[in-house]
Amino acid sequence: MAIRNIVKEGDEVLRKKCREVTEVTDRIRQTMDDMVDTMRDSYGVGLAAPQVGIMRRYFVAEPEPGKVFYMINPVITKQEGNQVCEEGCLSVPGLIGEVNRPQRITITALDRDGKEVTYDLEGFEANVMCHEYDHLDGILFIDKAENIHDPADEEE
């Protein structure tokens, strides 16, 4: 298990468009495994490569315990409906906001073994994948969110 440093807002790496992965290697698989460990250690549900300083198009996501998605060169091929979700981000600690996302998506990617996979996802799973996908294009949730606030400021 290797915990990686998570890049925080203000670092220019988070604002750049990532390059495609040309070959799925053992190094990428190890990095993705480290990303899962890092995500879990930080109580996150997703982590994209640029969040650990790697400018490549891949991310990991675990929208529910034990259900890990490995997405290399993902492409969202279909979007339907709308949902407003409350989001936070490991790279933007201390803030949450409401983001309008598709209710349902179809996403195609390579898995950690380099095999093409396609998922039809909805609800929270679709939300998580869209959030991580945005990271690959240098977009943070705060760019799309409304009602951004620090939950610690809320009255109990």
Side-chain angles (χ1 to χ4, degrees):
M1 176 166 136
I3 303 301
R4 296 187 175 236
N5 290 325
I6 297 174
V7 176
K8 302 294 190 265
E9 182 196 8
D11 190 315
E12 65 183 35
V13 74
L14 293 174
R15 295 303 189 166
K16 294 182 178 177
K17 188 173 172 96
C18 295
R19 296 187 310 269
E20 283 199 1
V21 172
T22 55
E23 180 184 3
V24 180
T25 63
D26 286 341
R27 184 173 183 176
I28 288 174
R29 281 188 279 278
Q30 181 60 56
T31 300
M32 292 180 95
D33 291 343
D34 291 350
M35 289 168 60
V36 170
D37 292 339
T38 302
M39 171 188 69
R40 288 175 173 164
D41 185 67
S42 299
Y43 304 102
V45 295
L47 193 64
Q51 292 181 274
V52 292
I54 299 169
M55 297 308 302
R56 292 287 185 265
R57 294 188 75 77
Y58 60 89
F59 65 80
V60 297
E62 189 176 27
E64 62 183 73
K67 189 174 185 181
V68 179
F69 292 86
Y70 298 88
M71 300 280 190
I72 301 170
N73 297 334
V75 177
I76 295 175
T77 58
K78 186 176 181 183
Q79 302 182 39
E80 295 178 335
N82 284 304
Q83 63 177 331
V84 175
C85 301
E86 192 167 82
E87 294 185 17
C89 182
L90 297 175
S91 290
V92 188
L95 293 179
I96 59 173
E98 297 171 354
V99 182
N100 190 348
R101 302 270 189 201
Q103 176 66 33
R104 289 173 297 285
I105 64 166
T106 300
I107 187 167
T108 300
L110 300 178
D111 67 10
R112 68 188 312 278
D113 297 317
K115 294 185 177 121
E116 186 173 292
V117 291
T118 299
Y119 298 100
D120 292 309
L121 304 168
E122 62 181 274
F124 184 63
E125 287 182 341
N127 181 77
V128 171
M129 300 310 158
C130 289
H131 176 110
E132 299 309 325
Y133 185 85
D134 276 353
H135 275 296
L136 305 182
D137 290 323
I139 300 167
L140 298 177
F141 88 97
I142 54 175
D143 300 334
K144 296 181 170 186
E146 295 182 359
N147 302 317
I148 298 170
H149 63 283
D150 182 338
D153 293 340
E154 294 178 4
E155 291 183 42
E156 294 186 22

